[in-house]
Amino acid sequence: MVQIEFRERIVGSAVRRVVGTLTVIAELNTYTVSGSLPLEELPILDRVMPGARLWLHDDPSRWAHKCRRLFRSGYVVAVQVDSADS
């Protein structure tokens, strides 16, 4: 199991709030998404995939592991909070 929190920067503060959570159970190839961030609509860069985009529904485990390095924006970062397989 891998759990990733997507944390948003609060302007003027060092605090980040959780705006989305992804939990992946690799053995079952299943995942759950919670929060306001539309993770299923956000591809990440993966050059081996068609169009160089990896979608969450294509390979949840790979997406979760890659998003920690590749999912970046000015206000949201991906942080691994739990992992039984890393």
Side-chain angles (χ1 to χ4, degrees):
M1 181 185 86
V2 176
Q3 188 172 50
I4 309 290
E5 285 183 351
F6 294 84
R7 299 178 183 173
E8 177 181 51
R9 188 178 123 214
I10 299 172
V11 177
S13 174
V15 176
R16 290 187 181 263
R17 72 174 153 231
V18 176
V19 293
T21 303
L22 170 66
T23 303
V24 176
I25 301 174
E27 299 81 24
L28 301 175
N29 199 36
T30 62
Y31 66 92
T32 58
V33 174
S34 63
S36 61
L37 194 62
L39 297 175
E40 294 172 303
E41 299 172 16
L42 301 173
I44 58 174
L45 178 66
D46 189 339
R47 295 178 194 265
V48 301
M49 298 300 289
R53 293 182 179 183
L54 175 62
W55 297 89
L56 178 56
H57 61 81
D58 289 336
D59 189 340
S61 183
R62 182 179 177 97
W63 196 96
H65 286 288
K66 287 184 150 276
C67 79
R68 294 178 306 213
R69 292 188 321 270
L70 299 176
F71 186 91
R72 292 284 185 262
S73 75
Y75 291 92
V76 179
V77 295
V79 178
Q80 181 175 331
V81 293
D82 189 22
S83 177
D85 62 353
S86 57

